[in-house]
Amino acid sequence: MVRMADVAREAGVSAMTVSNVLNQRRPVAAATRARVLAAAESLGYEVNLTARHLSAGRTDTVALIVPSFHDYFGEVADEIAPLIEAEGRHLVLERTSASPEQEMESLSIARLQLYDGVLLSVASLDRQQLERVRTSKPIVLLGERDAPDRFDHVRLANEEGARLATAHMIERGSRRIVALGCTLERGHTMNSDRRVGWELAHEQAGLPVDERLVVPIATYSSQAARAALEGAIAAGLEFDAVFAATDVIALGAVAALADHRLRVPEDVQLAGFDNLDVSRFVPPGITSIDPNHQGVAQHAVRLLHRRMADGAAPAEHIVVPVDLVVRGSTRP
Amino acid sequence: MVRMADVAREAGVSAMTVSNVLNQRRPVAAATRARVLAAAESLGYEVNLTARHLSAGRTDTVALIVPSFHDYFGEVADEIAPLIEAEGRHLVLERTSASPEQEMESLSIARLQLYDGVLLSVASLDRQQLERVRTSKPIVLLGERDAPDRFDHVRLANEEGARLATAHMIERGSRRIVALGCTLERGHTMNSDRRVGWELAHEQAGLPVDERLVVPIATYSSQAARAALEGAIAAGLEFDAVFAATDVIALGAVAALADHRLRVPEDVQLAGFDNLDVSRFVPPGITSIDPNHQGVAQHAVRLLHRRMADGAAPAEHIVVPVDLVVRGSTRP
DNA sequence: CTGTTAGCGCATTCAG
DNA sequence: CTGAATGCGCTAACAG
């Protein structure tokens, strides 16, 4: 390994001068500068970032910690990356496997010290566990779970999105709308908040809420969603629309409906949530709630930036508005 | 910030003893040990990993560098992560935006020094640019591009996969098969190799190869694929099947075919490549080539592991076999 | 079993 | 404009 001292010796200067040339921190005589650059080049020198980080006390790197790398989180990450890079920092992704243990570990101060700031996409930690996280590192929470007020937090307008999608299908004539992947449990989680929105749409339309239409699923996968809806159909549940808690779930619903030769939207209307790319292309196009990734990304980075500048600033809690995107899976 | 020295003072021992207790490196008297742990706990001490990394000369961290975080790469990353973690290391993702500049920068020795090993998913660097990468850091290349022999490299059996999918549709009666998202250009790239497989299937079946059926696309998006196929249809291209270079492209084809009321598979058969989750659920199910993510992940991690153990070992070039997964988009 | 010394490679501070 | 001294926090090697 080539160190700065090696370059210094080769160029006949001190290490400090090498540092100054390479970082353009102080003016250096042109001739000296040229010699240093030549020496660095010929030895193939590159700065040791670990040493720089230790010395500087910062890493110019931000971590985005997600439950898993694919689907929704990958898409958000691609939105966040350029915003972080625009400020001259690097973004790295780590994942927690959505297990509370790993999510806690990734929050250990040790791991945090590698980064100047952390965006944590909370999937499974509850309020109490988050309460125990004590660190002065800038952290911004992303996601739909309830969290302590002292954290900056960006979440979606889950209720409003679910209400919009459900109201839209009521307006287009449906009266028995399955809430697939939702839950009757209370407490702020993504699938509970979305069920509340589904209820709200019924109340606002003066329709009764039939809790049998809430069909929970085992895991947030298309496979589980397909199985759950098949099960509901087999059990004789009557319905004329499906509100799916996520687009991944909606995709499972598409498959289950096709298996039973139920036409979308003629027999059953369908709407999802997340506006994944795939929803534009699966015929007849899946009506969905656009979660405004860009807005999420912008707020998250803005809050983190602010927090890194001022650790004592009061916490902000952002609810990012969402939009209904109408496609062929709901009736005109 | 609490340092080891603070804990040492609090516990009335030396820093070395604190280190030994926390890392279980050397036996420590039970009483001392207890005092150290109590002190660490009460002060809220956590080791500074940057300092440890500098001192130890390693980071126990592997980077997976990908062109973008979503879709294919996110799925592979989720396969690789547990294998890395099983060896007691951490995995982080960085992205290059698929620009050659950034891909080169992520390969700068400086950046590499942060990691004990690097898995680089090559999207846009050509052989010549890779040739210029000089480093003793363990690197394993992933991806379909041609690369210098001195690198360990894991790629898919692209030709064979494309041949399988095309031959399958020929067998099921198609004679004019569009190669959507492929290219007539020579040289080892993903979409060139897959075109070669498409050709090969024709030759083996004794069928002529009509180059007008090769329909390239502007970007690897469903949107671009949809537009390209619409364009081909509008231009009067006659075909009875589509081999899509990727499943993302196949999804665009599904949309384009639906727009033109062409039934799959009755009017047009369709097969893709990548076996994305979505392909199982889009009616009638998209026949696809399974890229064997798990095999890719296992080989990549194995090669990296080997390389980290022995920097001088001869480079291995793995071609991971692929499988045809038949679904409803091709005829029985 | 525990402590001392020294150094990982860089960059800030102060001197010249 | 350039250099020397010093510290970032941890741990390997050596003493005791």
Side-chain angles (χ1 to χ4, degrees), chain B residues 166-175 240 265 269 324 326-327 330-332:
Chain B
T166 308
H168 170 70
M169 293 191 288
I170 291 173
E171 208 171 275
R172 305 304 164 91
S174 289
R175 286 299 172 269
D240 55 10
Q269 296 194 86
L324 176 69
V326 177
R327 300 205 178 90
T330 51
R331 293 191 282 266

Side-chain angles (χ1 to χ4, degrees), chain B:
Chain B
M1 162 167 307
V2 185
R3 292 150 327 166
M4 210 161 194
D6 300 321
V7 178
R9 190 169 346 95
E10 176 84 5
V13 298
S14 76
M16 228 19 250
T17 299
V18 176
S19 175
N20 286 328
V21 169
L22 265 34
N23 300 306
Q24 310 180 28
R25 206 170 296 277
R26 293 195 302 196
V28 173
T32 318
R33 189 182 148 70
R35 254 183 310 136
V36 168
L37 290 176
E41 169 77 354
S42 85
L43 295 179
Y45 172 76
E46 300 252 0
V47 65
N48 180 326
L49 290 179
T50 302
R52 172 180 289 174
H53 293 169
L54 177 61
S55 179
R58 54 190 179 71
T59 61
D60 293 325
T61 301
V62 166
L64 169 59
I65 300 174
V66 294
S68 67
F69 291 133
H70 65 277
D71 278 345
Y72 179 83
F73 301 104
E75 297 201 0
V76 175
D78 277 320
E79 293 284 345
I80 289 176
L83 303 178
I84 297 289
E85 285 156 12
E87 289 170 10
R89 279 185 266 263
H90 289 268
L91 178 72
V92 305
L93 254 66
E94 297 206 23
R95 66 155 213 172
T96 57
S97 328
S99 85
E101 294 73 29
Q102 286 197 51
E103 213 160 23
M104 275 309 269
E105 202 233 338
S106 67
L107 279 186
S108 82
I109 309 204
R111 209 67 205 150
L112 291 190
Q113 278 176 336
L114 291 174
Y115 306 110
D116 291 348
V118 172
L119 298 168
L120 176 68
S121 189
V122 183
S124 62
L125 291 186
D126 62 26
R127 192 191 189 98
Q128 221 174 1
Q129 291 170 301
L130 287 170
E131 207 67 87
R132 289 207 300 275
V133 175
R134 301 244 65 110
T135 169
S136 57
K137 275 285 164 181
I139 294 191
V140 173
L141 302 181
L142 309 181
E144 318 315 324
R145 300 198 64 111
D146 206 18
D149 286 343
R150 66 187 162 93
F151 288 107
D152 293 305
H153 189 179
V154 180
R155 64 196 268 310
L156 296 178
N158 286 301
E159 271 189 43
E160 174 62 6
R163 191 195 64 76
L164 276 173
T166 308
H168 170 70
M169 293 191 288
I170 291 173
E171 208 171 275
R172 305 304 164 91
S174 289
R175 286 299 172 269
R176 292 193 52 80
I177 303 175
V178 169
L180 185 62
C182 291
T183 175
L184 285 166
E185 285 172 28
R186 306 285 147 181
H188 285 291
T189 60
M190 178 266 276
N191 51 359
S192 176
D193 285 353
R194 293 184 186 174
R195 184 217 68 237
V196 171
W198 168 86
E199 279 180 9
L200 202 58
H202 286 78
E203 286 160 15
Q204 291 178 346
L207 295 175
V209 172
D210 182 348
E211 295 196 343
R212 287 171 302 179
L213 289 167
V214 175
V215 177
I217 62 177
T219 64
Y220 292 124
S221 66
S222 301
Q223 183 57 56
R226 180 184 203 156
L229 191 55
E230 304 259 9
I233 293 172
L237 186 68
E238 304 222 336
F239 60 93
D240 55 10
V242 175
F243 164 63
T246 70
D247 276 10
V248 166
I249 292 172
L251 193 57
V254 165
L257 295 172
D259 289 346
H260 286 268
R261 310 230 173 286
L262 290 166
R263 291 166 305 163
V264 177
E266 294 82 352
D267 304 322
V268 176
Q269 296 194 86
L270 173 65
F273 201 123
D274 281 348
N275 197 24
L276 292 187
D277 222 39
V278 54
S279 304
R280 293 165 60 194
F281 298 102
V282 175
I286 300 173
T287 292
S288 187
I289 298 297
D290 186 317
N292 194 355
H293 283 163
Q294 223 180 342
V296 170
Q298 281 166 356
H299 278 292
V301 172
R302 180 179 63 75
L303 290 189
L304 188 64
H305 193 208
R306 196 186 57 116
R307 174 69 49 207
M308 289 194 286
D310 175 11
E316 273 190 48
H317 305 126
I318 307 285
V319 178
V320 178
V322 298
D323 290 307
L324 176 69
V325 178
V326 177
R327 300 205 178 90
S329 70
T330 51
R331 293 191 282 266

Side-chain angles (χ1 to χ4, degrees), chain A residues 3-4 16 25-26 45 52 55:
Chain A
R3 291 153 328 174
M4 209 139 108
M16 231 14 259
R25 204 169 297 279
R26 294 196 302 196
Y45 172 77
R52 172 181 289 175
S55 180

